[in-house]
Short mmCIF file of all heavy atoms in Angstrom, two decimals:
data_model
loop_
_atom_site.label_atom_id
_atom_site.label_comp_id
_atom_site.label_asym_id
_atom_site.label_seq_id
_atom_site.Cartn_x
_atom_site.Cartn_y
_atom_site.Cartn_z
N PRO A 1 254.57 250.43 63.31
CA PRO A 1 254.53 251.92 63.11
C PRO A 1 255.79 252.29 62.31
O PRO A 1 256.82 251.70 62.40
CB PRO A 1 254.52 252.50 64.48
CG PRO A 1 254.92 251.39 65.44
CD PRO A 1 254.68 250.15 64.67
N PRO A 2 255.68 253.44 61.54
CA PRO A 2 256.80 253.94 60.76
C PRO A 2 257.90 254.46 61.68
O PRO A 2 257.62 254.88 62.80
CB PRO A 2 256.15 255.09 59.86
CG PRO A 2 254.97 255.46 60.58
CD PRO A 2 254.43 254.30 61.32
N PRO A 3 259.15 254.45 61.18
CA PRO A 3 260.19 254.99 62.04
C PRO A 3 260.05 256.51 62.33
O PRO A 3 259.50 257.18 61.47
CB PRO A 3 261.46 254.75 61.20
CG PRO A 3 261.00 254.47 59.76
CD PRO A 3 259.59 254.01 59.85
N LEU A 4 260.52 256.89 63.43
CA LEU A 4 260.40 258.36 63.82
C LEU A 4 261.31 259.24 63.12
O LEU A 4 261.11 260.48 63.02
CB LEU A 4 260.51 258.44 65.35
CG LEU A 4 259.55 257.79 66.20
CD1 LEU A 4 259.93 257.95 67.65
CD2 LEU A 4 258.19 258.20 65.96
N THR A 5 262.43 258.72 62.59
CA THR A 5 263.41 259.45 61.88
C THR A 5 263.22 259.25 60.36
O THR A 5 262.99 258.05 60.00
CB THR A 5 264.86 259.21 62.32
OG1 THR A 5 265.03 257.84 62.10
CG2 THR A 5 265.07 259.59 63.73
N PRO A 6 263.51 260.22 59.51
CA PRO A 6 263.42 259.98 58.09
C PRO A 6 264.52 259.09 57.59
O PRO A 6 265.58 258.95 58.27
CB PRO A 6 263.50 261.34 57.47
CG PRO A 6 264.14 262.15 58.48
CD PRO A 6 263.80 261.60 59.80
N ALA A 7 264.31 258.40 56.52
CA ALA A 7 265.34 257.49 55.98
C ALA A 7 266.55 258.25 55.54
O ALA A 7 266.44 259.42 54.98
CB ALA A 7 264.76 256.74 54.74
N VAL A 8 267.77 257.78 55.85
CA VAL A 8 268.95 258.48 55.53
C VAL A 8 269.53 257.94 54.14
O VAL A 8 269.61 256.69 53.99
CB VAL A 8 270.06 258.30 56.59
CG1 VAL A 8 271.32 258.89 56.21
CG2 VAL A 8 269.54 258.80 57.90
N PRO A 9 269.81 258.82 53.14
CA PRO A 9 270.30 258.27 51.88
C PRO A 9 271.58 257.52 52.09
O PRO A 9 272.40 257.83 53.03
CB PRO A 9 270.56 259.55 51.10
CG PRO A 9 269.85 260.65 51.74
CD PRO A 9 269.64 260.24 53.12
N PRO A 10 271.90 256.53 51.28
CA PRO A 10 273.14 255.75 51.43
C PRO A 10 274.39 256.61 51.44
O PRO A 10 275.35 256.27 52.18
CB PRO A 10 273.07 254.77 50.28
CG PRO A 10 271.83 254.88 49.61
CD PRO A 10 271.13 256.09 50.14
N GLN A 11 274.46 257.62 50.62
CA GLN A 11 275.70 258.45 50.56
C GLN A 11 275.92 259.13 51.91
O GLN A 11 277.12 259.22 52.42
CB GLN A 11 275.65 259.50 49.47
CG GLN A 11 275.51 258.97 48.06
CD GLN A 11 274.08 258.70 47.66
OE1 GLN A 11 273.05 258.77 48.41
NE2 GLN A 11 273.86 258.24 46.36
N GLU A 12 274.85 259.62 52.52
CA GLU A 12 274.98 260.35 53.80
C GLU A 12 275.45 259.35 54.87
O GLU A 12 276.30 259.67 55.75
CB GLU A 12 273.71 261.02 54.21
CG GLU A 12 273.86 261.96 55.35
CD GLU A 12 272.64 262.81 55.60
OE1 GLU A 12 271.84 263.08 54.69
OE2 GLU A 12 272.43 263.16 56.80
N SER A 13 274.82 258.21 54.80
CA SER A 13 275.24 257.09 55.80
C SER A 13 276.63 256.76 55.67
O SER A 13 277.44 256.58 56.65
CB SER A 13 274.37 255.88 55.62
OG SER A 13 274.73 254.88 56.48
N CYS A 14 277.16 256.63 54.38
CA CYS A 14 278.56 256.31 54.12
C CYS A 14 279.44 257.47 54.68
O CYS A 14 280.48 257.15 55.26
CB CYS A 14 278.74 256.10 52.65
SG CYS A 14 280.46 255.65 52.21
N LEU A 15 279.09 258.66 54.40
CA LEU A 15 279.91 259.82 54.86
C LEU A 15 279.97 259.83 56.41
O LEU A 15 281.02 260.11 57.02
CB LEU A 15 279.33 261.11 54.33
CG LEU A 15 279.62 261.38 52.85
CD1 LEU A 15 278.82 262.62 52.38
CD2 LEU A 15 281.07 261.55 52.59
N ASP A 16 278.81 259.59 57.06
CA ASP A 16 278.78 259.58 58.47
C ASP A 16 279.71 258.52 59.09
O ASP A 16 280.46 258.74 60.03
CB ASP A 16 277.35 259.34 59.04
CG ASP A 16 276.48 260.57 58.81
OD1 ASP A 16 277.03 261.69 58.66
OD2 ASP A 16 275.25 260.40 58.89
N SER A 17 279.64 257.36 58.46
CA SER A 17 280.48 256.23 58.83
C SER A 17 281.95 256.60 58.71
O SER A 17 282.81 256.33 59.63
CB SER A 17 280.14 254.99 58.11
OG SER A 17 281.03 253.93 58.37
N CYS A 18 282.29 257.10 57.57
CA CYS A 18 283.70 257.45 57.30
C CYS A 18 284.14 258.56 58.28
O CYS A 18 285.33 258.46 58.77
CB CYS A 18 283.84 257.94 55.88
SG CYS A 18 285.56 258.26 55.36
N ALA A 19 283.33 259.60 58.51
CA ALA A 19 283.74 260.61 59.44
C ALA A 19 283.93 260.07 60.80
O ALA A 19 284.89 260.51 61.53
CB ALA A 19 282.57 261.72 59.39
N ALA A 20 283.02 259.17 61.29
CA ALA A 20 283.21 258.56 62.60
C ALA A 20 284.52 257.88 62.68
O ALA A 20 285.18 257.91 63.71
CB ALA A 20 281.95 257.67 62.90
N ARG A 21 284.85 257.07 61.68
CA ARG A 21 286.15 256.36 61.70
C ARG A 21 287.28 257.25 61.76
O ARG A 21 288.28 257.06 62.51
CB ARG A 21 286.28 255.47 60.48
CG ARG A 21 285.51 254.20 60.56
CD ARG A 21 285.73 253.32 59.41
NE ARG A 21 285.06 254.00 58.27
CZ ARG A 21 284.90 253.56 57.03
NH1 ARG A 21 285.32 252.37 56.80
NH2 ARG A 21 284.26 254.21 56.17
N LEU A 22 287.26 258.44 61.03
CA LEU A 22 288.32 259.43 61.08
C LEU A 22 288.45 260.00 62.48
O LEU A 22 289.56 260.24 62.93
CB LEU A 22 288.17 260.47 59.97
CG LEU A 22 288.37 259.95 58.59
CD1 LEU A 22 288.03 261.11 57.54
CD2 LEU A 22 289.84 259.60 58.31
N VAL A 23 287.32 260.31 63.06
CA VAL A 23 287.33 260.92 64.42
C VAL A 23 287.90 259.95 65.38
O VAL A 23 288.75 260.33 66.26
CB VAL A 23 285.88 261.31 64.80
CG1 VAL A 23 285.82 261.61 66.28
CG2 VAL A 23 285.43 262.52 63.99
N ARG A 24 287.51 258.67 65.33
CA ARG A 24 288.12 257.69 66.21
C ARG A 24 289.66 257.52 66.04
O ARG A 24 290.45 257.47 66.96
CB ARG A 24 287.41 256.29 66.04
CG ARG A 24 286.06 256.28 66.69
CD ARG A 24 285.60 254.82 66.74
NE ARG A 24 285.46 254.21 65.48
CZ ARG A 24 284.39 254.21 64.70
NH1 ARG A 24 283.33 254.89 65.10
NH2 ARG A 24 284.36 253.63 63.54
N ALA A 25 290.07 257.47 64.75
CA ALA A 25 291.49 257.37 64.44
C ALA A 25 292.21 258.63 64.97
O ALA A 25 293.34 258.55 65.57
CB ALA A 25 291.73 257.29 62.92
N ASN A 26 291.64 259.85 64.83
CA ASN A 26 292.25 261.05 65.38
C ASN A 26 292.33 261.01 66.86
O ASN A 26 293.37 261.35 67.44
CB ASN A 26 291.48 262.23 64.87
CG ASN A 26 292.15 263.55 65.23
OD1 ASN A 26 293.36 263.62 65.18
ND2 ASN A 26 291.39 264.61 65.55
N HIS A 27 291.32 260.49 67.57
CA HIS A 27 291.39 260.38 69.00
C HIS A 27 292.48 259.43 69.48
O HIS A 27 293.23 259.72 70.42
CB HIS A 27 290.01 259.92 69.59
CG HIS A 27 288.94 261.01 69.55
ND1 HIS A 27 287.72 260.75 69.76
CD2 HIS A 27 289.04 262.35 69.34
CE1 HIS A 27 286.99 261.86 69.71
NE2 HIS A 27 287.81 262.82 69.42
N ARG A 28 292.69 258.28 68.75
CA ARG A 28 293.78 257.40 69.08
C ARG A 28 295.06 258.08 68.87
O ARG A 28 296.07 257.94 69.71
CB ARG A 28 293.63 256.11 68.22
CG ARG A 28 292.57 255.17 68.69
CD ARG A 28 292.67 253.75 68.05
NE ARG A 28 292.72 253.82 66.62
CZ ARG A 28 291.71 253.71 65.76
NH1 ARG A 28 290.50 253.63 66.25
NH2 ARG A 28 291.89 253.76 64.49
N LEU A 29 295.23 258.77 67.75
CA LEU A 29 296.51 259.45 67.47
C LEU A 29 296.81 260.52 68.52
O LEU A 29 297.93 260.57 69.00
CB LEU A 29 296.43 260.11 66.06
CG LEU A 29 297.60 260.78 65.60
CD1 LEU A 29 298.77 259.89 65.40
CD2 LEU A 29 297.35 261.56 64.23
N MET A 30 295.82 261.27 68.87
CA MET A 30 296.06 262.28 69.91
C MET A 30 296.33 261.66 71.27
O MET A 30 297.16 262.18 72.05
CB MET A 30 294.84 263.23 70.00
CG MET A 30 294.67 264.15 68.80
SD MET A 30 296.17 265.08 68.39
CE MET A 30 296.22 266.15 69.82
N GLY A 31 295.72 260.55 71.58
CA GLY A 31 295.96 259.82 72.81
C GLY A 31 297.47 259.42 72.86
O GLY A 31 298.14 259.49 73.86
N ALA A 32 297.94 258.82 71.71
CA ALA A 32 299.35 258.45 71.68
C ALA A 32 300.27 259.61 71.81
O ALA A 32 301.31 259.56 72.51
CB ALA A 32 299.60 257.67 70.36
N TYR A 33 299.94 260.70 71.17
CA TYR A 33 300.72 261.95 71.21
C TYR A 33 300.85 262.41 72.67
O TYR A 33 301.88 262.72 73.16
CB TYR A 33 300.12 262.97 70.29
CG TYR A 33 300.84 264.33 70.33
CD1 TYR A 33 302.04 264.55 69.63
CD2 TYR A 33 300.30 265.37 71.14
CE1 TYR A 33 302.60 265.77 69.70
CE2 TYR A 33 300.97 266.62 71.15
CZ TYR A 33 302.09 266.82 70.47
OH TYR A 33 302.71 268.04 70.52
N VAL A 34 299.70 262.49 73.34
CA VAL A 34 299.66 263.00 74.71
C VAL A 34 300.48 262.06 75.61
O VAL A 34 301.06 262.47 76.61
CB VAL A 34 298.20 263.08 75.18
CG1 VAL A 34 298.04 263.34 76.71
CG2 VAL A 34 297.53 264.25 74.47
N GLY A 35 300.43 260.80 75.25
CA GLY A 35 301.20 259.85 76.09
C GLY A 35 302.72 259.96 75.83
O GLY A 35 303.48 259.68 76.79
N LEU A 36 303.14 260.27 74.65
CA LEU A 36 304.59 260.32 74.37
C LEU A 36 305.23 261.63 74.65
O LEU A 36 306.43 261.68 74.94
CB LEU A 36 304.77 259.98 72.88
CG LEU A 36 304.46 258.58 72.45
CD1 LEU A 36 304.55 258.40 70.92
CD2 LEU A 36 305.41 257.63 73.16
N VAL A 37 304.52 262.75 74.52
CA VAL A 37 305.10 264.08 74.60
C VAL A 37 305.81 264.28 75.96
O VAL A 37 306.89 264.80 76.03
CB VAL A 37 304.09 265.19 74.33
CG1 VAL A 37 304.57 266.62 74.69
CG2 VAL A 37 303.87 265.19 72.80
N PRO A 38 305.22 263.98 77.08
CA PRO A 38 305.95 264.20 78.37
C PRO A 38 307.30 263.54 78.40
O PRO A 38 308.30 264.18 78.88
CB PRO A 38 304.98 263.68 79.43
CG PRO A 38 303.64 263.70 78.86
CD PRO A 38 303.83 263.44 77.33
N ALA A 39 307.43 262.27 77.95
CA ALA A 39 308.70 261.63 77.95
C ALA A 39 309.69 262.37 76.98
O ALA A 39 310.90 262.54 77.34
CB ALA A 39 308.56 260.22 77.51
N LEU A 40 309.16 262.80 75.80
CA LEU A 40 310.08 263.57 74.93
C LEU A 40 310.53 264.87 75.55
O LEU A 40 311.74 265.25 75.42
CB LEU A 40 309.36 263.83 73.60
CG LEU A 40 309.04 262.68 72.77
CD1 LEU A 40 308.11 263.06 71.56
CD2 LEU A 40 310.23 262.02 72.21
N LEU A 41 309.63 265.60 76.14
CA LEU A 41 310.00 266.85 76.81
C LEU A 41 310.98 266.61 77.99
O LEU A 41 311.94 267.40 78.14
CB LEU A 41 308.76 267.58 77.37
CG LEU A 41 307.84 268.10 76.31
CD1 LEU A 41 306.60 268.71 76.97
CD2 LEU A 41 308.54 269.12 75.43
N GLN A 42 310.79 265.57 78.71
CA GLN A 42 311.79 265.28 79.86
C GLN A 42 313.13 264.94 79.29
O GLN A 42 314.20 265.40 79.76
CB GLN A 42 311.35 264.11 80.66
CG GLN A 42 310.20 264.47 81.64
CD GLN A 42 309.74 263.29 82.44
OE1 GLN A 42 310.05 262.10 82.17
NE2 GLN A 42 308.98 263.59 83.51
N ARG A 43 313.20 264.16 78.20
CA ARG A 43 314.50 263.86 77.56
C ARG A 43 315.17 265.08 77.01
O ARG A 43 316.35 265.24 77.22
CB ARG A 43 314.26 262.82 76.47
CG ARG A 43 315.61 262.28 75.92
CD ARG A 43 315.42 261.18 74.96
NE ARG A 43 314.81 261.73 73.73
CZ ARG A 43 314.11 261.08 72.84
NH1 ARG A 43 313.92 259.75 73.01
NH2 ARG A 43 313.67 261.66 71.78
N ARG A 44 314.39 265.93 76.40
CA ARG A 44 314.93 267.18 75.89
C ARG A 44 315.43 268.05 76.98
O ARG A 44 316.50 268.69 76.79
CB ARG A 44 313.92 267.90 74.97
CG ARG A 44 314.48 268.93 74.17
CD ARG A 44 313.42 269.54 73.19
NE ARG A 44 313.03 268.53 72.27
CZ ARG A 44 311.95 268.62 71.48
NH1 ARG A 44 311.18 269.63 71.60
NH2 ARG A 44 311.61 267.67 70.63
N ALA A 45 314.66 268.15 78.04
CA ALA A 45 315.09 269.01 79.12
C ALA A 45 316.40 268.40 79.78
O ALA A 45 317.28 269.21 80.18
CB ALA A 45 314.03 269.12 80.22
N ALA A 46 316.51 267.11 79.84
CA ALA A 46 317.77 266.54 80.37
C ALA A 46 318.92 266.80 79.44
O ALA A 46 320.04 267.07 79.99
CB ALA A 46 317.50 265.00 80.56
N GLU A 47 318.73 266.76 78.17
CA GLU A 47 319.78 267.04 77.26
C GLU A 47 320.23 268.48 77.41
O GLU A 47 321.40 268.77 77.40
CB GLU A 47 319.32 266.70 75.83
CG GLU A 47 319.21 265.32 75.49
CD GLU A 47 318.61 265.07 74.13
OE1 GLU A 47 318.19 266.06 73.48
OE2 GLU A 47 318.44 263.89 73.77
N HIS A 48 319.30 269.40 77.47
CA HIS A 48 319.64 270.82 77.65
C HIS A 48 320.23 271.08 78.99
O HIS A 48 321.07 271.97 79.12
CB HIS A 48 318.40 271.68 77.34
CG HIS A 48 318.03 271.77 75.93
ND1 HIS A 48 318.57 272.67 75.07
CD2 HIS A 48 317.16 271.04 75.17
CE1 HIS A 48 318.11 272.50 73.89
NE2 HIS A 48 317.21 271.47 73.86
N GLY A 49 319.75 270.39 80.01
CA GLY A 49 320.38 270.50 81.36
C GLY A 49 321.79 270.12 81.41
O GLY A 49 322.58 270.67 82.16
N ALA A 50 322.17 269.10 80.63
CA ALA A 50 323.53 268.65 80.63
C ALA A 50 324.42 269.65 79.87
O ALA A 50 325.61 269.77 80.30
CB ALA A 50 323.61 267.24 79.92
N GLN A 51 323.85 270.40 78.98
CA GLN A 51 324.65 271.42 78.27
C GLN A 51 324.74 272.73 79.00
O GLN A 51 325.49 273.61 78.67
CB GLN A 51 324.07 271.65 76.84
CG GLN A 51 324.16 270.39 75.94
CD GLN A 51 323.34 270.62 74.73
OE1 GLN A 51 322.70 271.61 74.49
NE2 GLN A 51 323.31 269.67 73.87
N ALA A 52 323.83 272.95 79.95
CA ALA A 52 323.70 274.19 80.66
C ALA A 52 324.87 274.32 81.68
O ALA A 52 325.55 273.36 82.05
CB ALA A 52 322.38 274.31 81.37
N GLY A 53 325.06 275.56 82.05
CA GLY A 53 326.13 275.88 83.06
C GLY A 53 325.63 275.50 84.48
O GLY A 53 324.59 274.88 84.57
N PRO A 54 326.45 275.73 85.49
CA PRO A 54 326.10 275.25 86.80
C PRO A 54 324.78 275.89 87.35
O PRO A 54 324.15 275.30 88.14
CB PRO A 54 327.26 275.70 87.70
CG PRO A 54 328.01 276.64 86.83
CD PRO A 54 327.71 276.42 85.44
N SER A 55 324.45 277.11 86.86
CA SER A 55 323.24 277.68 87.36
C SER A 55 321.96 277.21 86.74
O SER A 55 320.92 277.66 87.04
CB SER A 55 323.33 279.20 87.16
OG SER A 55 323.34 279.54 85.78
N GLY A 56 322.19 276.30 85.73
CA GLY A 56 321.01 275.79 85.00
C GLY A 56 320.71 276.60 83.71
O GLY A 56 319.82 276.30 82.96
N LEU A 57 321.46 277.70 83.56
CA LEU A 57 321.27 278.51 82.36
C LEU A 57 322.40 278.22 81.40
O LEU A 57 323.49 277.78 81.80
CB LEU A 57 321.38 280.05 82.71
CG LEU A 57 320.32 280.55 83.67
CD1 LEU A 57 320.57 281.95 84.07
CD2 LEU A 57 318.93 280.42 83.04
N PRO A 58 322.11 278.39 80.14
CA PRO A 58 323.22 278.06 79.12
C PRO A 58 324.38 278.96 79.35
O PRO A 58 324.28 280.15 79.78
CB PRO A 58 322.55 278.33 77.78
CG PRO A 58 321.10 278.46 78.04
CD PRO A 58 320.96 278.78 79.54
N ALA A 59 325.61 278.40 79.22
CA ALA A 59 326.79 279.22 79.38
C ALA A 59 326.87 280.25 78.24
O ALA A 59 326.56 279.90 77.09
CB ALA A 59 327.98 278.28 79.29
N SER A 60 327.19 281.46 78.52
CA SER A 60 327.26 282.57 77.63
C SER A 60 328.69 283.06 77.56
O SER A 60 329.23 283.56 78.57
CB SER A 60 326.29 283.69 78.04
OG SER A 60 326.37 284.72 77.10
N PRO A 61 329.33 283.01 76.41
CA PRO A 61 330.74 283.48 76.29
C PRO A 61 330.88 284.96 76.47
O PRO A 61 331.91 285.43 76.93
CB PRO A 61 331.16 283.03 74.95
CG PRO A 61 329.86 282.84 74.12
CD PRO A 61 328.82 282.53 75.13
N GLU A 62 329.78 285.74 76.15
CA GLU A 62 329.94 287.20 76.22
C GLU A 62 328.77 287.70 77.08
O GLU A 62 327.69 287.08 77.05
CB GLU A 62 329.87 287.82 74.82
CG GLU A 62 331.01 287.45 73.94
CD GLU A 62 330.81 288.02 72.51
OE1 GLU A 62 329.88 288.82 72.31
OE2 GLU A 62 331.58 287.57 71.62
N PRO A 63 328.93 288.83 77.72
CA PRO A 63 327.76 289.36 78.48
C PRO A 63 326.67 289.80 77.53
O PRO A 63 326.94 290.15 76.40
CB PRO A 63 328.36 290.53 79.27
CG PRO A 63 329.67 290.93 78.53
CD PRO A 63 330.10 289.65 77.87
N ALA A 64 325.49 289.78 78.04
CA ALA A 64 324.36 290.25 77.16
C ALA A 64 324.47 291.67 76.85
O ALA A 64 324.91 292.52 77.72
CB ALA A 64 323.08 289.99 77.90
N PRO A 65 324.13 292.10 75.61
CA PRO A 65 324.30 293.53 75.34
C PRO A 65 323.33 294.39 76.13
O PRO A 65 322.20 294.04 76.26
CB PRO A 65 324.05 293.59 73.80
CG PRO A 65 323.29 292.37 73.53
CD PRO A 65 323.68 291.31 74.52
N GLY A 66 323.82 295.54 76.62
CA GLY A 66 322.96 296.44 77.33
C GLY A 66 322.46 297.50 76.39
O GLY A 66 322.63 297.48 75.19
N PRO A 67 321.76 298.51 76.98
CA PRO A 67 321.28 299.62 76.14
C PRO A 67 322.45 300.32 75.56
O PRO A 67 323.51 300.54 76.12
CB PRO A 67 320.48 300.48 77.12
CG PRO A 67 320.88 300.08 78.48
CD PRO A 67 321.43 298.65 78.32
N ALA A 68 322.25 300.74 74.32
CA ALA A 68 323.35 301.47 73.60
C ALA A 68 323.56 302.85 74.20
O ALA A 68 322.57 303.56 74.52
CB ALA A 68 322.96 301.59 72.08
N GLU A 69 324.80 303.21 74.44
CA GLU A 69 325.10 304.56 74.97
C GLU A 69 325.48 305.46 73.76
O GLU A 69 326.09 305.00 72.82
CB GLU A 69 326.29 304.42 75.91
CG GLU A 69 325.91 303.62 77.17
CD GLU A 69 327.14 303.64 78.17
OE1 GLU A 69 328.02 304.51 77.97
OE2 GLU A 69 327.14 302.69 78.98
N PRO A 70 324.95 306.65 73.81
CA PRO A 70 325.27 307.53 72.69
C PRO A 70 326.72 307.91 72.60
O PRO A 70 327.41 307.98 73.69
CB PRO A 70 324.43 308.80 73.01
CG PRO A 70 324.13 308.73 74.42
CD PRO A 70 324.12 307.30 74.83
N SER A 71 327.25 307.96 71.36
CA SER A 71 328.64 308.28 71.29
C SER A 71 328.86 309.77 71.57
O SER A 71 327.88 310.58 71.37
CB SER A 71 329.16 307.90 69.91
OG SER A 71 328.38 308.51 68.89
N GLU A 72 330.02 310.20 71.89
CA GLU A 72 330.34 311.55 72.16
C GLU A 72 330.12 312.44 70.91
O GLU A 72 330.59 312.02 69.79
CB GLU A 72 331.80 311.70 72.58
CG GLU A 72 332.05 312.47 73.82
CD GLU A 72 333.48 312.50 74.28
OE1 GLU A 72 333.80 311.49 74.92
OE2 GLU A 72 334.18 313.46 73.99
N GLY A 73 329.40 313.48 71.05
CA GLY A 73 329.20 314.42 69.95
C GLY A 73 327.90 314.11 69.13
O GLY A 73 327.56 314.82 68.26
N ALA A 74 327.23 312.95 69.49
CA ALA A 74 326.05 312.62 68.79
C ALA A 74 324.88 313.41 69.31
O ALA A 74 324.88 313.78 70.56
CB ALA A 74 325.75 311.12 68.93
N PRO A 75 323.88 313.77 68.47
CA PRO A 75 322.78 314.52 69.03
C PRO A 75 321.97 313.74 70.01
O PRO A 75 321.94 312.53 69.92
CB PRO A 75 321.91 314.86 67.81
CG PRO A 75 322.38 313.86 66.76
CD PRO A 75 323.78 313.49 67.11
N ALA A 76 321.42 314.37 71.02
CA ALA A 76 320.65 313.72 72.04
C ALA A 76 319.31 313.18 71.40
O ALA A 76 318.84 313.66 70.40
CB ALA A 76 320.27 314.72 73.19
N ALA A 77 318.78 312.22 72.12
CA ALA A 77 317.52 311.54 71.61
C ALA A 77 316.37 312.57 71.62
O ALA A 77 316.26 313.38 72.57
CB ALA A 77 317.14 310.38 72.47
N GLY A 78 315.65 312.62 70.55
CA GLY A 78 314.44 313.47 70.48
C GLY A 78 314.78 314.79 69.91
O GLY A 78 313.94 315.69 69.96
N THR A 79 316.00 315.04 69.42
CA THR A 79 316.34 316.45 68.88
C THR A 79 316.43 316.34 67.36
O THR A 79 316.74 315.37 66.79
CB THR A 79 317.65 316.93 69.44
OG1 THR A 79 318.67 316.11 69.23
CG2 THR A 79 317.48 317.26 70.92
#
């Protein structure tokens, strides 16, 4: 009996094969990435932890700026 699916032109078969190889390569690459990133993040966190102050936050030489206070004689907001 004849095949149930129509014949695939050679160009389409070649493209399908190439696309499948690229997908497999991408899956291998992403698998390696997923395997390596946690170790990289832990190392980076350890490096930043060593530079941080005792509270675990980076040491800040100056206090964080607060809301600006209007200078004397300046018009009030909204006027």
